[in-house]
Amino acid sequence: MVKGGQHQKAKTKGAGGNAKRKKSTGAGLDRVAAGKQLNNALMRWSALGTKATIPQLRKYMECGAQLSVTDLEGNTTMQHIVCLPRKNMISVLNAFLAIRGCEEPNRRHVCALMAEERTITSAVSRGSEANVLYLLDTFGDELRQIKELGPVVDMASKRGFRGEVLSRLMELGECDPFELLSKAGRVPSGVPLDLALLTTTDEYERSGVHFLAIHGMREELQRALVLWPGAVHEEDNKSRTPLHSAAIWGHVRCALLHWWERRERGPVLFT
């Protein structure tokens, strides 16, 4: 009888221990554990494509998980978030910002992480152009606090980012106008497309007009040739004119140049 009682008592104690363990994996998670669980779920989602649902993630967030928790490779939760597909990235951020009673602290937390270079670096290196454009639109003030955006701009250029995303990154980083013209085919807002900028050349003797042709900037190219008609004959160190550059980069329809016999009629573009 005694042995049976002891056995029953031990069984009851064991059941209680299991109940405690079950509770520790639910709402009883502390902030550190919740942060690690959230990070792991997002890492699997962003890196491996293993989808997690917003309610699952919200469970960790409501336990006090912070987006600054790092994984074994030193990546924060926020870095994993900005690498998700755009729709999912926005859903996760909105879920974090909508936690009842924590809206303002969480908003400050998100803004502080957006002001870190590693966050935008991850978005540019592993995310999409759509993600980066959303971050520029939503957290422009925070991104402007980053002191050195040069490496981020170089990474965006190497990944093939073009147009608005690249030019806005370069403007945030206060890049040289000619550098922006050469990499994105644009000039910073407020900077005129003048003769001094058009006649500047890089180490390969390519002028600003060459880069307008390379990037297929039709309207800017038309204005540039009015300012500098002789640019159609300018050659780089490989004897290529802007016409060659436009053809090589596939902008034949929008940037094919033709110089009419009568200069008074000006340059025209075939479309």
Side-chain angles (χ1 to χ4, degrees), residues 27-251:
L29 284 171
D30 59 32
R31 292 170 67 93
V32 176
K36 289 181 178 179
Q37 293 284 1
L38 177 62
N39 204 336
N40 290 336
L42 286 165
M43 181 177 62
R44 290 193 296 271
W45 195 2
S46 64
L48 305 177
T50 306
K51 291 188 176 181
T53 63
I54 297 301
Q56 287 175 326
L57 300 176
R58 186 186 291 274
K59 177 184 71 175
Y60 302 130
M61 294 174 182
E62 289 175 347
C63 293
Q66 296 294 289
L67 307 186
S68 55
V69 176
T70 57
D71 59 18
L72 295 176
E73 295 181 354
N75 296 313
T76 64
T77 305
M78 180 61 83
Q79 287 176 264
H80 291 304
I81 291 175
V82 297
C83 297
L84 296 172
R86 181 179 183 276
K87 182 179 178 181
N88 298 332
M89 174 186 72
I90 296 173
S91 297
V92 173
L93 287 175
N94 288 341
F96 184 73
L97 294 172
I99 295 175
R100 188 172 301 174
C102 300
E103 295 88 347
E104 185 58 26
N106 285 355
R107 187 190 67 79
R108 291 197 300 268
H109 183 54
V110 168
C111 290
L113 289 172
M114 288 299 175
E116 295 182 357
E117 183 182 342
R118 57 183 174 176
T119 301
I120 189 65
T121 299
S122 291
V124 169
S125 63
R126 295 189 288 132
S128 65
E129 282 192 71
N131 284 23
V132 178
L133 186 58
Y134 174 82
L135 298 180
L136 288 167
D137 288 337
T138 311
F139 301 100
D141 291 338
E142 287 71 29
L143 294 173
R144 202 167 283 111
Q145 298 174 28
I146 300 174
K147 294 181 179 179
E148 182 54 56
L149 275 175
V152 177
V153 170
D154 290 340
M155 189 181 301
S157 180
K158 289 177 181 177
R159 283 202 65 195
F161 285 18
R162 290 290 181 266
E164 184 179 2
V165 173
L166 185 60
S167 61
R168 287 180 63 181
L169 279 172
M170 295 184 76
E171 286 187 28
L172 278 176
E174 297 181 351
C175 294
D176 178 76
F178 183 75
E179 184 182 359
L180 177 56
L181 179 61
S182 65
K183 289 185 176 180
R186 300 166 185 256
V187 293
S189 56
V191 176
L193 187 65
D194 57 15
L195 197 58
L197 188 58
L198 294 173
T199 55
T200 302
T201 58
D202 66 358
E203 64 270 27
Y204 303 108
E205 299 179 21
R206 294 175 296 187
S207 68
V209 179
H210 278 91
F211 288 113
L212 290 175
I214 287 171
H215 294 287
M217 306 303 290
R218 179 188 172 191
E219 294 182 3
E220 290 81 357
L221 192 59
Q222 182 99 42
R223 295 203 309 270
L225 290 176
V226 171
L227 287 171
W228 185 20
V232 292
H233 305 299
E234 282 295 308
E235 297 180 349
D236 61 16
N237 65 348
K238 293 184 178 179
S239 301
R240 292 172 178 169
T241 66
L243 172 58
H244 293 120
S245 299
I248 290 170
W249 288 87
H251 301 302

